[in-house]
Amino acid sequence: MDGTNLFQLGIGLETGAQAEDSTARDIFAEDRDDHFIREDGRVFAGRHLIIEVVDGHGLDDEGRIQQAFRDCVETCGATLLHIHTHKFSPQGVSGVAVLAESHISVHTWPEIGYGAFDVFMCGEARPWLAVDVLKKAFATADVRVKELLRGDGVVEEAEAA
């Protein structure tokens, strides 16, 4: 394969991605920086909030959604790696903010004032702070949230300590 084909495959691009290490790792090793959350005797990979913005305004504005992502990242104490959004015709926006701590994603139906957001963060990030950011960004008081503790029960506290 010549260099052009490697570029088209994304191989060798400076993205920060590393080749997967095939050596076995002890997930319970003391020096492992796993970013699991240890709280009230539970160990889980992260908090995944399913956030529904209802009666929202500006849900067809790609720039506004990108700024909401940035504001969520800053407020929650996360690390932004990349934002990608797509504007549909005649309306709607889908997008994702890739974070070091996981992601924020959205799909909107502006014609009914609805935005379906996912905010998934691990480590020290505080995803619940995104709720008020989204309320303000889309000028609504009606924001509904469900929380999933991703990886809950996969690793027991005694094994992960």
Side-chain angles (χ1 to χ4, degrees):
M1 235 183 236
D2 67 21
T4 303
N5 289 334
L6 290 176
F7 179 77
Q8 288 173 344
L9 292 172
I11 297 170
L13 297 178
E14 295 299 322
T15 63
Q18 302 295 319
E20 191 170 329
D21 184 357
S22 62
T23 59
R25 293 187 197 144
D26 180 1
I27 65 166
F28 306 116
E30 293 284 330
D31 63 344
R32 184 176 171 90
D33 188 11
D34 60 21
H35 302 285
F36 270 67
I37 297 169
R38 288 152 176 86
E39 180 179 284
D40 299 325
R42 298 169 91 170
V43 180
F44 50 96
R47 295 183 188 284
H48 192 160
L49 304 183
I50 307 303
I51 303 175
E52 296 181 299
V53 170
V54 180
D55 294 326
H57 303 276
L59 291 164
D60 203 33
D61 183 338
E62 204 172 357
R64 189 170 182 170
I65 288 168
Q66 290 176 1
Q67 188 59 54
F69 281 171
R70 286 185 188 90
D71 293 345
C72 285
V73 168
E74 182 179 340
T75 301
C76 295
T79 308
L80 179 63
L81 300 177
H82 179 73
I83 292 178
H84 179 78
T85 56
H86 177 80
K87 175 90 168 65
F88 291 96
S89 179
Q91 70 259 335
V93 176
S94 285
V96 64
V98 179
L99 313 176
E101 298 80 6
S102 196
H103 71 274
I104 302 170
S105 64
V106 68
H107 189 80
T108 71
W109 289 263
E111 67 274 20
I112 60 169
Y114 178 72
F117 289 82
D118 283 9
V119 177
F120 180 19
M121 296 179 182
C122 63
E124 299 297 318
R126 300 172 312 276
W128 274 97
L129 297 178
V131 175
D132 284 338
V133 172
L134 296 174
K135 281 181 183 179
K136 182 178 177 184
F138 301 106
T140 184
D142 193 353
V143 175
R144 304 166 190 184
V145 185
K146 293 179 182 155
E147 179 184 51
L148 301 170
L149 302 181
R150 302 303 299 264
D152 189 21
V154 173
V155 178
E156 297 300 321
E157 177 70 44
E159 297 169 325

